[in-house]
C-alpha cells in the first residue's frame, strides 16, 4: 500500500504539471485539488489540515518583493536603469549580463543572504536581459548559478549543515563532504552558467549605440523617487551586513537579523504609495505575477502531503532494505534528491538524508559522498520554478514571459538532474 501511495503522489505531480499545460490551466490549481483529495480521502488531514499546508512564507516572499518592484516597472524606472547601463558601459557591453552572476556570487561569498540578493536583483536582471533582446531565461540561469557561493566554508550554511550531518556521521566526514560540495557546486554551476551564456548569446549584447542610438535618457520625477527608495532599501539591506562582518556590534546585528528583504519591501511599498511613484491599483493588477505565485504555492501544498502519504518512509525503507547494491546507492540518492527538489525546497529533503546516513555508512558508503550526492542533486534541480530556488529566480519575470521561462526552467532542471545523476554513476562524488 505504501508503494501505491508513492505512485499516486508521483502521478499527481505529473498530472498537475503536464495536465496544466495541456488544459491551459495553472498547474498550482490542479496541485491544490490533489492536495485536498489526498487530505480528505487518504492522509486524514481533513480540509483544515490541507489549508495549513499553504506556505505563507513563500507567498509573502514572492508577493512583497514583486509588489515593491512593480512600482519600478510600472513607471519605467527599470527600463531607465537598463538604458543607463547600456549608455555608460561602452567598453565591454558583453560583460553586463555576467554582472548578474558576479555581484550576487561575490556578495554571497561575503556572507549576505543569497535569497535576499536574488530577490532584489531578479526584476533588474529580467528588465536588462529582455531589453538587450536576449532570451529571458538567461536571467534566471545567471542568478540561479550564484547559489554555489553560499556553500563557502566560512559561511553559515557550511557551519550549520556540517554540524547537522556531523551528529549523524561524524564531523570529519561531514566537513570533508561539505568542502568537496563547495568545490563541485562551484565547478558545475559556473560551467553551466558560462555554457548557457554562450549558447543563449549573452556575449552578443549589442553596444549601447546600437541599442539606443542618440536617444536621450530622461528620468521623470516619479522615477527619481523610485530610485531613491530602491537605493535606500539596498543600503539598509547591505550595509549592516558588511559592517557586521568587519566590526560586529549589537546595532547592525539587530538590523541584519530584522531588516530583511521582506520587511524592507513592505516599508518600500508604503513609501512608493505615499510618494505616488505609480498607481498602486495598477501595480497590484498588472505588475504582480499572480499566476506564478499560485503555481508555486499550489505545488508547495501538494508537496506538503509527501510526509503524510509516507513518501519519505518508502524511500527510506528502500535504501535501508539492502536491495540496492552499494555502487547504486550514491546515484540513487542523487536522483531521488534531484526529483524531490524539482518541487520542494532542499531544506525539507535534508532531514531524510541525515536520518538515513548512519545506516548507509554502515553498508560501506562514504559519508562525504552521501553529502555531495544529496546536496548536488538538490542544487541541480533547484532551478525548477516549482522549487524554492527557481521560484525566487523567476520572481521578477514579467507576466507575459513567465509561463515560457517557467517551462524552460523546468526542462533545464530535469537536464541538470540527469547530468548530476550520471556524474554520480561515474563516481565523481565518491
Amino acid at each position: 500500500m505504501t508503494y501505491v501511495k508513492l505512485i499516486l503522489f508521483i502521478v499527481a505531480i505529473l498530472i498537475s504539471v503536464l495536465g496544466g499545460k495541456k488544459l491551459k490551466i495553472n498547474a498550482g490549481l490542479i496541485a491544490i485539488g490533489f492536495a485536498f483529495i489526498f487530505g480528505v480521502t487518504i492522509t486524514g488531514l481533513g480540509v483544515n489540515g490541507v489549508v495549513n499546508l499553504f506556505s505563507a512564507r513563500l507567498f509573502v516572499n514572492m508577493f512583497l518583493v514583486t509588489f515593491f518592484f512593480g512600482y519600478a516597472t510600472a513607471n519605467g524606472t527599470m527600463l531607465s536603469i537598463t538604458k543607463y547601463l547600456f549608455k555608460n558601459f561602452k567598453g565591454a557591453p558583453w560583460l553586463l549580463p555576467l554582472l548578474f552572476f558576479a555581484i550576487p556570487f561575490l556578495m554571497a561569498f561575503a556572507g549576505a543572504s543569497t535569497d535576499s540578493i536574488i530577490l532584489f536583483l531578479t526584476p533588474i536582471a529580467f528588465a536588462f536581459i529582455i531589453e538587450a533582446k536576449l532570451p529571458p531565461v538567461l536571467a534566471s540561469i545567471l542568478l540561479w548559478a550564484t547559489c554555489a557561493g553560499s556553500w563557502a566554508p566560512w559561511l553559515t550554511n557550511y557551519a550549520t549543515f556540517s554540524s547537522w550531518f556531523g551528529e549523524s556521521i561524524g564531523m570529519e566526514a561531514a566537513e570533508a563532504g561539505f568542502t568537496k560540495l563547495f568545490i563541485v557546486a562551484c565547478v558545475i554551476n559556473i560551467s553551466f552558467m558560462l555554457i548557457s551564456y554562450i549558447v543563449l548569446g549573452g556575449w552578443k549584447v549589442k553596444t549601447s549605440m546600437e541599442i539606443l542610438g542618440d536617444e536621450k535618457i530622461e528620468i521623470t520625477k516619479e522615477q527619481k523617487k523610485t530610485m531613491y527608495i530602491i537605493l535606500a532599501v539596498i543600503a539598509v539591506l547591505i550595509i549592516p551586513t558588511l559592517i557586521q562582518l568587519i566590526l560586529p556590534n549589537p546595532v547592525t546585528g539587530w538590523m541584519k537579523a530584522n531588516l530583511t528583504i521582506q520587511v524592507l519591501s513592505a516599508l518600500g511599498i508604503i513609501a512608493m504609495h505615499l510618494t505616488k511613484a505609480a498607481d498602486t491599483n495598477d501595480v497590484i493588477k498588472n505588475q504582480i505575477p499572480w499566476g506564478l505565485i499560485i503555481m508555486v504555492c499550489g505545488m508547495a501544498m501538494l508537496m506538503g502531503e509527501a510526509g503524510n502519504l509516507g513518501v519519505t518512509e518508502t524511500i527510506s525503507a528502500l535504501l535501508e532494505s539492502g536491495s540496492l547494491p552499494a555502487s547504486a546507492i550514491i546515484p540513487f540518492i542523487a536522483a531521488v534528491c534531484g526529483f524531490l527538489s524539482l518541487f520542494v525546497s532542499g531544506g525539507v529533503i535534508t532531514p531524510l538524508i541525515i536520518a538515513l546516513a548512519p545506516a548507509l555508512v554502515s553498508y560501506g558508503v562514504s559519508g562525504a559522498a552521501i553529502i555531495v550526492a544529496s546536496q548536488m542533486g538538490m542544487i541541480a534541480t533547484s532551478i525548477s520554478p516549482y522549487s524554492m530556488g527557481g521560484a525566487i529566480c523567476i520572481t521578477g519575470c514579467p507576466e507575459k514571459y513567465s509561463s515560457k521561462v517557467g517551462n524552460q526552467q523546468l526542462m533545464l532542471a530535469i537536464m541538470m538532474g540527469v547530468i548530476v545523476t550520471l556524474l554520480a554513476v561515474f563516481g565523481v562524488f565518491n
Side-chain angles (χ1 to χ4, degrees), residues 74-293:
N75 65 18
T77 302
M78 286 300 182
L79 184 58
S80 294
I81 291 174
T82 300
K83 289 181 177 180
Y84 181 84
L85 285 172
F86 277 121
K87 203 79 171 177
N88 291 277
F89 210 96
K90 299 177 181 179
W94 57 272
L95 277 175
L96 275 171
L98 294 177
L99 292 179
F100 294 108
F101 165 80
I103 292 172
F105 188 80
L106 294 175
M107 290 179 69
F109 254 44
S113 165
T114 307
D115 288 354
S116 296
I117 300 165
I118 294 175
L119 277 169
F120 189 85
L121 284 178
T122 177
I124 302 172
F126 274 103
F128 173 85
I129 294 296
I130 291 169
E131 183 67 16
K133 311 300 183 188
L134 299 174
V137 72
L138 180 59
S140 294
I141 295 170
L142 291 167
L143 293 170
W144 168 82
T146 63
C147 67
S150 63
W151 290 103
W154 54 85
L155 298 180
T156 303
N157 267 357
Y158 180 93
T160 301
F161 281 81
S162 60
S163 61
W164 199 3
F165 269 92
E167 295 175 1
S168 178
I169 60 174
M171 282 303 299
E172 184 177 350
E175 289 178 352
F178 280 99
T179 299
K180 184 170 183 178
L181 171 67
F182 171 61
I183 296 170
V184 172
C186 284
V187 171
I188 291 178
N189 281 30
I190 293 174
S191 298
F192 175 67
M193 181 273 298
L194 290 174
I195 291 170
S196 300
Y197 170 80
I198 294 170
V199 172
L200 297 176
W203 54 278
K204 294 180 181 178
V205 175
K206 298 178 181 179
T207 64
S208 58
M209 292 306 293
E210 287 178 313
I211 292 175
L212 300 175
D214 296 322
E215 179 183 344
K216 184 179 179 180
I217 303 171
E218 295 184 0
I219 307 296
T220 67
K221 183 170 65 175
E222 289 75 16
Q223 290 173 348
K224 287 181 180 178
K225 293 175 185 176
T226 303
M227 282 194 280
Y228 291 147
I229 294 171
I230 290 175
L231 288 173
V233 168
I234 293 175
V236 178
L237 187 66
I238 295 175
I239 292 175
T241 299
L242 296 178
I243 293 175
Q244 194 66 11
L245 285 171
I246 301 169
L247 188 64
N249 65 87
V251 176
T252 54
W254 181 91
M255 294 176 71
K256 178 184 176 183
N258 295 282
L259 297 180
T260 63
I261 186 64
Q262 295 87 353
V263 174
L264 294 174
S265 292
L267 296 175
I269 290 166
I270 296 171
M272 294 283 196
H273 177 76
L274 293 177
T275 57
K276 298 181 179 179
D279 185 322
T280 298
N281 290 328
D282 176 66
V283 173
I284 294 173
K285 182 179 178 181
N286 298 313
Q287 302 302 330
I288 298 175
W290 293 110
L292 176 64
I293 293 174

Side-chain angles (χ1 to χ4, degrees), residues 59-71:
F59 175 84
V60 168
N61 281 350
M62 298 185 73
F63 171 72
L64 287 177
V65 174
T66 54
F67 195 169
F68 174 54
F69 280 100
Y71 284 93

